[in-house]
Amino acid sequence: MANPLVRKLEHGAPLSDEEKDALAKLMVGARPVGAHEDLIAEGDAPEHVHVVLEGFACRYKMLPDGGRQIMAWLVPGDFCDLHVSLLGEMDHAIATLTPSVIAFLPRNGLEVLAEDHPTLTRALWWATLVDEAVLREWLVNMGRRPSPQRIAHMFCEVRARLHAVDLAPDAIMEFPLSQTDLADSAGISSVHVNRVLQQLRDEGLITWRGGVLQVLDVGALEAFAGFDANYLHLKGPPASHAH
Amino acid sequence: MANPLVRKLEHGAPLSDEEKDALAKLMVGARPVGAHEDLIAEGDAPEHVHVVLEGFACRYKMLPDGGRQIMAWLVPGDFCDLHVSLLGEMDHAIATLTPSVIAFLPRNGLEVLAEDHPTLTRALWWATLVDEAVLREWLVNMGRRPSPQRIAHMFCEVRARLHAVDLAPDAIMEFPLSQTDLADSAGISSVHVNRVLQQLRDEGLITWRGGVLQVLDVGALEAFAGFDANYLHLKGPPASHAH
DNA sequence: CGGGCTTTTGAGCCAAATCAAAAATAGTGG
DNA sequence: CCACTATTTTTGATTTGGCTCAAAAGCCCG
């Protein structure tokens, strides 16, 4: 199975085999990390670029009162800190949500490679801009959708994003987050998350058990949540990959 | 008074006089627009890049139930649609909030200029990444801060951003938004916005009258809101500009 | 099989929504 | 410059979605 980073970037620009190989070869490390471990702290300026290869991580900020807001889920193929070289330092932290595998790319190596390959540069910036588009949709989700629709929308999105890297066949996916993590993502209490999940199960939209999420009827869940995948900019059906 | 776009970009990278001139000359149009007019619709792929020169605009999405979520305020110097060439089409709409002046830059011209000027390219991507950082903070704001702190935080941010383009001397600024627009930005009802504003006034933190917002004590408001400007990545005190 | 986490249930409460109307402001045309 | 509208802002009364507090039940694993 191909590298999830490569699989993802192919949605952004048509990479040549040479570019794909060069990118894969740049990944110098692949370290397994446990659940709920901090990878990068606010204020850091990591030397390497981190990429999630397996599992789920997140961007988050802590508030003075101890509250935590998760601002993004990072799924296989997602960069953690591509933006650091331009912004100087992290303005938020990165942690794993589940046991994960994290790879590293030397920042210099990536920059040199990108200089020689405009298509790769396009793909990298495409990925950054899609992250921004996802953030906008999360804001809409928080601001305007009641909690059942909000949680449902998050499930629709994660299904679509995992599908784009071939990790959600038949709308069944590994999704071993805790309800507390979901609560910190959706901006509601974990008690309320629990009640909302019961409702989504009762309505026959999903099952979620033992860390495996199944969307029983993608169309129905998307209709319920008011989900439209346009903001993911995946440009048509996911590319099929020869093996 | 220099161009607000140039003033803003200088926070991101040290532009040469040649770059600043070239950028200013690229601005082919500067059209006055009334309040509450749509500039760009979801699904559009505008040929020119739009920049706000005066007034306030916003990014927003409409929901099926008629609700509107504003996801970003665009102040003088901000791009509306720099990302369109990479993402293909707008996944949200842009409208003015107040009477504004909007300028245009030919997309090709900007790209050619950027190709010849790596520093300018850096500045443009810096601006994009700061937009993303602001979005993250808005998400924290929506998810975790009670409404008085939330509104206060938005005022702190807009003061800092306007200050960065020299438009908020002494923490007094033109800010002629309606309470409804503020409500659609903060994700609360306009009735509640009104009550929150009374509270902020009663506590002596702000005045807001006739479209002019005054922050009476910047430190006090920032402490109240839990505001930390690090996410704006302005890198130290705003540059002073020779005239 | 016992300790620690995560999920689930129950009861009471509060921030913010809704609905409805009045007061204040800002435009607009005569 | 003023009357006439239309929009905003403000107030009041009521309802509600989601929170907090607290405890029970289930689960994972050594």
Side-chain angles (χ1 to χ4, degrees):
Chain A
M1 181 126 115
N3 188 309
L5 174 60
V6 170
R7 278 206 303 281
K8 174 180 136 148
L9 291 180
E10 286 191 279
H11 286 278
L15 302 179
S16 68
D17 288 346
E18 187 213 337
E19 285 166 329
K20 290 189 244 179
D21 286 352
L23 198 57
K25 274 199 207 110
L26 260 187
M27 295 198 187
V28 291
R31 183 168 66 99
V33 186
H36 295 117
E37 284 191 33
D38 275 308
L39 297 177
I40 308 171
E42 189 168 336
D44 281 2
E47 192 188 331
H48 296 305
V49 176
H50 295 65
V51 178
V52 179
L53 284 190
E54 291 175 33
F56 292 83
C58 69
R59 304 183 186 282
Y60 75 93
K61 286 190 188 183
M62 296 300 300
L63 286 112
D65 70 351
R68 177 177 68 150
Q69 179 64 45
I70 291 175
M71 300 165 302
W73 288 340
L74 302 176
V75 310
D78 286 344
F79 287 108
C80 298
D81 48 5
L82 191 56
H83 56 279
V84 162
S85 46
L86 274 171
L87 288 187
E89 64 172 48
M90 293 290 292
D91 55 35
H92 61 280
I94 308 275
T96 55
L97 292 170
T98 72
S100 305
V101 176
I102 308 294
F104 310 82
L105 294 91
R107 205 171 283 275
N108 288 345
L110 188 59
E111 276 168 14
V112 169
L113 186 64
E115 269 168 33
D116 295 342
H117 297 275
T119 308
L120 180 60
T121 304
R122 269 184 82 84
L124 295 176
W125 284 116
W126 169 84
T128 300
L129 293 173
V130 170
D131 283 354
E132 194 177 336
V134 168
L135 227 20
R136 282 191 294 262
E137 189 61 37
W138 277 45
L139 199 63
V140 173
N141 212 21
M142 295 277 262
R144 289 284 168 241
R145 278 192 266 263
S147 53
Q149 282 80 354
R150 195 184 304 178
I151 300 279
H153 196 282
M154 299 180 96
F155 286 159
C156 290
E157 180 190 293
V158 81
R159 191 211 60 83
R161 286 170 59 190
L162 291 175
H163 192 65
V165 290
D166 300 342
L167 290 173
D170 303 318
I172 299 174
M173 60 213 97
E174 289 284 326
F175 191 72
L177 297 227
S178 71
Q179 292 182 12
T180 304
D181 290 332
L182 195 48
D184 287 349
S185 306
I188 62 183
S189 72
S190 60
V191 171
H192 197 58
V193 163
N194 186 274
R195 300 198 223 263
V196 165
L197 288 173
Q198 290 176 49
Q199 187 185 327
L200 295 180
R201 281 192 274 245
D202 288 352
E203 300 194 12
L205 293 169
I206 60 152
T207 65
W208 188 23
R209 198 181 227 77
V212 174
L213 173 67
Q214 177 169 17
V215 177
L216 296 172
D217 180 340
V218 173
L221 189 68
E222 294 187 345
F224 176 78
F227 178 83
D228 178 342
N230 68 330
Y231 71 95
L232 295 174
H233 295 274
L234 293 173
K235 295 167 185 166
S240 63
H241 302 280
H243 296 288
Chain B
M1 180 127 114
N3 188 309
L5 174 61
V6 169
R7 279 206 304 280
K8 174 180 138 151
L9 291 180
E10 286 191 279
H11 287 278
L15 302 179
S16 68
D17 287 347
E18 188 212 335
E19 286 166 328
K20 291 188 245 179
D21 285 353
L23 198 56
K25 274 198 208 111
L26 261 186
M27 296 198 188
V28 291
R31 183 169 65 100
V33 186
H36 295 117
E37 284 192 33
D38 275 309
L39 296 177
I40 308 172
E42 190 168 336
D44 281 2
E47 192 189 331
H48 297 305
V49 177
H50 296 65
V51 178
V52 179
L53 284 190
E54 290 175 34
F56 292 83
C58 68
R59 304 183 186 283
Y60 75 94
K61 286 191 188 183
M62 297 299 300
L63 286 112
D65 70 352
R68 176 177 70 151
Q69 179 64 46
I70 291 175
M71 301 165 302
W73 289 339
L74 303 176
V75 310
D78 286 343
F79 286 109
C80 298
D81 47 6
L82 191 55
H83 57 279
V84 162
S85 46
L86 274 171
L87 288 187
E89 62 171 50
M90 293 291 290
D91 54 36
H92 61 278
I94 308 275
T96 53
L97 291 170
T98 71
S100 305
V101 176
I102 308 294
F104 310 82
L105 294 90
R107 207 171 281 276
N108 288 344
L110 188 58
E111 276 166 14
V112 168
L113 186 64
E115 269 168 35
D116 295 342
H117 297 275
T119 308
L120 179 61
T121 304
R122 268 184 83 84
L124 295 177
W125 284 116
W126 168 84
T128 300
L129 292 172
V130 170
D131 283 353
E132 194 177 337
V134 168
L135 227 21
R136 282 191 293 264
E137 189 63 35
W138 276 45
L139 199 63
V140 173
N141 212 21
M142 295 277 262
R144 290 284 168 242
R145 279 193 265 264
S147 53
Q149 281 80 354
R150 194 184 305 177
I151 299 279
H153 195 282
M154 299 180 95
F155 287 159
C156 289
E157 182 190 293
V158 81
R159 191 211 59 84
R161 288 169 59 191
L162 290 175
H163 192 64
V165 289
D166 300 341
L167 291 173
D170 303 319
I172 300 173
M173 61 213 96
E174 289 285 326
F175 191 72
L177 298 226
S178 72
Q179 293 183 12
T180 303
D181 290 333
L182 195 48
D184 286 350
S185 305
I188 62 183
S189 71
S190 60
V191 171
H192 197 57
V193 163
N194 185 274
R195 299 197 224 263
V196 165
L197 288 173
Q198 289 177 49
Q199 187 185 327
L200 295 179
R201 280 191 274 244
D202 289 351
E203 300 194 11
L205 293 169
I206 60 152
T207 63
W208 188 22
R209 199 182 227 72
V212 174
L213 173 67
Q214 176 168 18
V215 178
L216 296 172
D217 179 341
V218 173
L221 189 68
E222 294 187 345
F224 176 77
F227 178 84
D228 178 343
N230 69 330
Y231 71 94
L232 295 175
H233 295 274
L234 294 173
K235 296 168 182 162
S240 65
H241 303 278
H243 298 285

